[in-house]
Amino acid sequence: MKVTGKTLAALSGALVFCIAATLLLTFAGRETPGEEQEATYFFTNYTSPDMLLAAEIENQSGSVVIALIDGTAHIAGDWDAGADTGRIQDFFQQAYRLPLAGLVEGATASDGQFGLTEPQATVLLQDIEGGGALFDIGALAPDGEHYYTCLTGDARVFLMDRSYAELFLEDVGYYYDLSLYPPLEDEQAQMLQAVTVRRAGETAYRLEQVGTSENGTVCYYSLTEPFYLPVGTEQFESEILAPLRAITGTSLVAEPEDLDRYGVGTDAPTLTLEYTDGTSVTLRIGAAADGMTYVLSESTGMLVTVPTAELAFLEDTPAEVVGHTLLSLNVNSIETIALDGHTYQVSGSASELTVTVDGAEMPLETFQEDVMAPLNEISIQDGDTGDLLTGDPILTAEIQLRYASEPLLLEFYAADSRGCVVSLDGTAAFWCDRVAIDPLVTSAA
């Protein structure tokens, strides 16, 4: 979680005033019969990770304060982002015991060859009793297996195994939770009110939550831009929710000064998520390189890399958003369907549905076979529809869904002997094969 307010003040204050001398560099000796005494130096040598409270790390990637309090991870730094609990727990699992490989005899930390006059990292560790260690990580030793290190202000130079030293040389962004928005699992997904994708300064498509099932467990979404068109729940789950759940940052770009360099300037394509509580998140989608794409969160200013493959759905056209199928309707969601003046009305519960056509009862099976099935089997394609909405439509369908406040108006115009243009509320939207609507034309007749 993000450290703020009183917690941040107390934690930062404790770290600032933690004095390296309060935890003296220890010398542990152990003797085994028949062996010479072996000595090991430690920066920390606690009995368990729970003894460590917090760490402040400053290196070439920036600075960060991390803490683990009663199992809860906290973080404070340059970005308004939460803590990655798993990575911070792993850090304390390793940092509570920092053995040193040995003392470099005759060396002094003021000698520039060891890299301690301009250290690669400075680390402050604090334990639960107020003690701590303040030390620097210098250059890589010639053997390639150790780094030079010293207690800050101490002249002695030690060797630290690189597996420990690299804990403190890690990009500090590693310890942030690089999720770009709240999770969209289970009940949390129902909080998603709208998804908007903008490209080249225009809305490519917008989806909005338009209703819920009677028990509130299923949310229904519709395209509302560039036109109104319901999206099947399975289609929305697989093509929108699943990709949204997969998007997360893999690495943090420290202090980006020129956003245009990463393609995330103000004219970048955007993805905006809106929630039922009135909050929203907007991401700018930037340049791609080596399988990764730069993504900037406008609300936090955090710039991360995201696998390009996870963002592919942002290039979808409206036809691709709905799966190249015009409609995916469930009979239980239908209130009325009007086909060229003949009105089909569905009433009752899921287990006892009744259907009438122009007031006369008709078998449910006949309605599903003659009306519902043909409606759900109309394949659509993108294409230039031009000014092809001429003459009278060969079929008009007006559909009122139980969960929606406004009806859907579909009109089909003959473009030639084989193709039709599909109009949604007066807007030419897609192409479809004329043969696909022939069964509906027959039903309407």
Side-chain angles (χ1 to χ4, degrees):
M1 63 185 295
K2 181 70 176 174
V3 180
T4 57
K6 186 181 294 183
T7 303
L8 175 58
L11 179 59
S12 298
L15 285 170
V16 168
F17 293 106
C18 173
I19 303 173
T22 60
L23 180 68
L24 298 176
L25 186 69
T26 60
F27 177 87
R30 60 180 183 271
E31 262 188 64
T32 303
E35 294 182 359
E36 293 185 0
Q37 186 180 45
E38 181 183 346
T40 306
Y41 294 94
F42 294 85
F43 277 170
T44 60
N45 193 18
Y46 298 104
T47 56
S48 76
D50 296 336
M51 295 293 292
L52 269 185
L53 174 65
E56 181 172 8
I57 304 169
E58 182 176 358
N59 59 32
Q60 294 175 348
S61 67
S63 62
V64 70
V65 176
I66 56 176
L68 198 60
I69 303 172
D70 296 329
T72 300
H74 303 261
I75 193 165
D78 298 328
W79 294 275
D80 183 18
D84 188 309
T85 298
R87 289 176 172 178
I88 291 176
Q89 287 176 336
D90 289 344
F91 173 89
F92 286 106
Q93 285 284 344
Q94 298 176 74
Y96 82 99
R97 188 174 185 274
L98 294 175
L100 302 174
L103 175 68
V104 181
E105 296 292 346
T108 178
S110 60
D111 187 339
Q113 68 174 309
F114 301 111
L116 294 167
T117 55
E118 296 182 5
Q120 294 191 63
T122 296
V123 183
L124 178 59
L125 300 177
Q126 183 187 359
D127 61 39
I128 59 176
E129 296 179 350
L134 179 62
F135 57 92
D136 298 324
I137 305 293
L140 183 66
D143 64 6
E145 298 299 325
H146 300 88
Y147 281 83
Y148 295 115
T149 184
C150 70
L151 284 173
T152 303
D154 191 297
R156 291 171 296 173
V157 178
F158 297 88
L159 292 171
M160 178 182 286
D161 189 274
R162 67 180 301 163
S163 64
Y164 290 103
E166 288 175 353
L167 281 175
F168 314 111
L169 300 175
E170 179 73 66
D171 188 322
V172 296
Y174 180 81
Y175 299 105
Y176 285 91
D177 178 359
L178 299 186
S179 300
L180 293 163
Y181 39 77
L184 294 170
E185 303 296 336
D186 303 324
E187 295 84 2
Q188 296 164 316
Q190 298 178 27
M191 295 287 291
L192 185 61
Q193 179 63 44
V195 178
T196 304
V197 173
R198 290 180 59 81
R199 300 190 292 258
E202 298 181 354
T203 298
Y205 61 85
R206 176 177 171 84
L207 292 149
E208 293 185 43
Q209 185 182 138
V210 293
T212 59
S213 60
E214 291 184 4
N215 59 13
T217 59
V218 178
C219 295
Y220 301 108
Y221 290 83
S222 289
L223 276 171
T224 55
E225 292 187 51
F227 33 68
Y228 173 63
L229 181 65
V231 178
T233 53
E234 291 184 5
Q235 176 71 12
F236 184 79
E237 173 72 29
S238 63
E239 298 302 319
I240 301 298
L241 272 185
L244 286 174
R245 290 181 178 125
I247 294 176
T248 187
T250 57
S251 63
L252 188 63
V253 180
E255 299 182 3
E257 296 181 358
D258 183 5
L259 296 182
D260 289 332
R261 170 187 172 188
Y262 301 97
V264 291
T266 55
D267 59 346
T270 60
L271 166 66
T272 299
L273 306 183
E274 299 170 43
Y275 300 89
T276 54
D277 62 1
T279 60
S280 66
V281 174
T282 295
L283 307 179
R284 297 183 193 174
I285 313 303
D290 300 324
M292 306 298 282
T293 295
Y294 293 106
V295 176
L296 174 75
S297 169
E298 288 189 352
S299 56
T300 65
M302 186 169 66
L303 179 62
V304 301
T305 56
V306 172
T308 301
E310 294 179 0
L311 303 170
F313 75 103
L314 299 178
E315 297 296 326
D316 283 355
T317 64
E320 291 170 326
V321 171
V322 298
H324 289 290
T325 300
L326 182 62
L327 296 170
S328 299
L329 301 176
N330 186 298
V331 67
N332 294 290
S333 67
I334 300 297
E335 185 174 296
T336 60
I337 296 178
L339 289 177
D340 282 348
H342 297 288
T343 301
Y344 300 84
Q345 184 163 2
V346 182
S347 57
S349 63
S351 58
E352 296 182 0
L353 291 175
T354 60
V355 181
T356 62
V357 53
D358 299 331
E361 189 171 344
M362 73 178 299
L364 175 62
E365 294 78 8
T366 302
F367 173 69
Q368 290 179 311
E369 181 178 346
D370 293 349
V371 179
M372 292 298 298
L375 279 173
N376 286 330
E377 292 173 359
I378 300 174
S379 297
I380 55 174
Q381 297 293 330
D382 290 303
D384 182 12
T385 54
D387 297 322
L388 296 177
L389 302 188
T390 57
D392 294 328
I394 59 175
L395 178 70
T396 297
E398 185 172 296
I399 303 171
Q400 180 63 61
L401 301 172
R402 294 188 180 190
Y403 57 78
S405 60
E406 57 183 292
L408 169 65
L409 178 62
L410 296 169
E411 295 175 306
F412 299 84
Y413 291 82
D416 51 42
S417 60
R418 299 179 58 185
C420 285
V421 175
V422 183
S423 168
L424 298 173
D425 294 322
T427 300
F430 308 112
W431 285 89
C432 76
D433 288 335
R434 183 163 181 169
V435 68
I437 65 168
D438 284 343
L440 292 169
V441 173
T442 301
S443 295

